């Protein structure tokens, strides 16, 4: 039986009224990434809690009900079904091939190059093969790790730059769309595991799930990932180190 | 390997510019229900096609891109993942209990009464236990049948009244919300099967899937199905037999 315990935390990302991750400086975003880690590390001490889902909704089309830039952490006494499917799917692949499917994807995407959005020493961002949504972009650490909360300091430093730049590219390419990002990470009650690889999935809200998608579980995506990635590679965005950036929203 | 064959048909439901099923007369809706059946019967003759998904999107929040009342039929060379999950889940239940899970649900819902929206000799409409969406309503034939296209004349006659009334109740209760309905039916390449039961799922678009729903596969529903059903039972709607109904939309 499942007990009705859990936690829901809202992470306010800036004292200024900004609405998107792209308006945070890298310094601020590093702080946000540390908060994600610290809260997971703290909450997983409670043995009743088995999964922490970190996500961000930006814009009403992406389900946001607050404008001020924020992320959410929902911690649950059960492994969510979508996480369970990723865990079992990747385990099946591992049992069959002896390799992490995400490590394989990183290797293949880096070799083919055509879906790559950004490539840094620590992270790679690409539009996944058979993306469900236009401009869907995944960010993965190159070194295998199953749990986001095991990230190290140089990982946070690198990820802040990558995540900010990818979102800025999406915003420049699509004129500030609503979007979600979700951290996909392993359940609390597992040690580092060989078959799962934490990552961030960023999905702009351009299309809307309708009867076909709800009925089938298939997604109609009018933009091939190769085209989305090529477009985003071309878009130039500035790197913001300082906090002195103008806010897009109200003062 | 899957071949890229299939069909996409748009079923225009009325020569008048109406926007919802509730604005069709029962006579018109019966014609629509016959078209669904006839097109499935015709398309399943093609051995390359294995599934026909019939759905309707009403309103832009439900993904409709046309206003004029229409349904869609998409026929595919593969069983969609969501259908496959329903088929295997209901088969597991059947192997365990020896009964159709949907027949069991009908019996339990009729006995408990609290989630029932409408009960006629041939069909029952209820808000399912642990509904994903507020006012989500399912319509099921009381007599077991796995394939929608095996519906008989008295079934069509009864279903037209039930479907129109349930949608009119949803529209009256929620002030003309956007909505989807989807016919859940068995794949073409099966004969009548004991473990699956065709039905229609109607989902008003009041809430929006956001980061939490995409990440977990869990749905936050602020309206208990018992409350939604009680509300809809109270709502009175007229029965329209004639085609002389005023259209809600333009001209």
């Amino acid at each position: 039986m499942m007990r009705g315990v859990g936690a829901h935390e809202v992470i306010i990302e800036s004292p200024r009224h900004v609405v998107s991750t792209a308006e945070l400086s890298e310094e601020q975003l590093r702080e946000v990434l540390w908060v994600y880690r610290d809260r997971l590390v703290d909450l997983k001490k409670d043995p009743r809690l088995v999964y922490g889902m970190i996500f961000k909704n930006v814009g009403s089309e992406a389900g946001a009900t607050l404008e001020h830039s924020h992320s959410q952490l929902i911690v649950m006494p059960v492994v969510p079904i979508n996480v369970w499917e990723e865990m079992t799917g990747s385990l099946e692949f591992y049992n069959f091939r002896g390799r992490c499917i995400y490590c394989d994807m990183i290797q293949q995407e880096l070799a083919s190059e055509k879906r790559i959005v950004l490539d840094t020493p620590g992270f790679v961002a690409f539009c996944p093969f058979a993306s469900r949504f236009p401009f869907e972009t995944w960010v993965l650490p190159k070194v295998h790790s199953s749990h986001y909360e095991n990230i190290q300091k140089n990982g946070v430093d690198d990820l802040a730059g990558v995540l900010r730049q990818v979102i800025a590219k999406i915003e420049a390419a699509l004129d500030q769309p609503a979007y979600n990002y979700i951290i996909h990470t392993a359940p609390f009650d597992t040690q580092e595991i060989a078959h799962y690889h934490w990552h961030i999935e960023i999905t702009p809200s351009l299309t809307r799930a309708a009867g076909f998608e709800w009925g089938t579980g298939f997604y109609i995506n009018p933009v091939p990932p190769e085209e989305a990635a090529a477009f985003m590679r071309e878009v130039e965005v500035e790197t913001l180190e300082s906090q002195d950036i103008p806010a897009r929203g109200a003062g």
Side-chain angles (χ1 to χ4, degrees), chain A residues 86-87 90-95 97-104 143-147 186 190-198:
Chain A
E86 272 190 4
M87 297 297 292
S90 60
L91 179 60
E92 270 177 44
F93 184 91
Y94 188 84
N95 287 338
R97 295 273 188 198
R99 295 192 303 268
C100 162
I101 189 168
Y102 298 93
C103 289
D104 264 23
V143 173
H144 182 85
S145 173
S146 53
H147 290 65
T190 49
Q191 297 296 316
E192 270 288 335
I193 45 186
H195 66 84
Y196 193 71
H197 197 121
W198 78 261

Side-chain angles (χ1 to χ4, degrees), chain A residues 99-194:
Chain A
R99 295 192 303 268
C100 162
I101 189 168
Y102 298 93
C103 289
D104 264 23
M105 283 168 72
I106 291 168
Q107 203 170 25
Q108 283 181 27
E109 294 300 340
L110 287 172
S112 96
E113 293 182 356
K114 60 191 171 189
R115 284 178 294 269
I116 297 288
V117 176
L118 208 63
D119 178 17
T120 70
F123 289 85
V124 60
F126 57 78
C127 296
F129 181 79
S131 305
R132 293 161 299 177
F133 307 104
F135 288 79
E136 175 174 356
T137 308
W138 292 9
V139 176
L140 297 93
K142 285 182 176 171
V143 173
H144 182 85
S145 173
S146 53
H147 290 65
Y148 172 80
E149 62 267 29
N150 293 345
I151 195 168
Q152 307 214 348
K153 182 169 181 305
N154 61 354
V156 168
D157 289 348
D158 196 2
L159 179 58
V162 172
L163 186 59
R164 210 199 138 275
Q165 268 193 78
V166 169
I167 291 173
K169 280 171 177 283
I170 289 173
E171 295 198 334
L174 303 173
D175 195 16
Q176 325 279 5
Y179 66 89
N180 302 106
Y181 71 67
I182 297 168
I183 299 186
H184 290 237
T185 181
F188 289 165
D189 57 353
T190 49
Q191 297 296 316
E192 270 288 335
I193 45 186

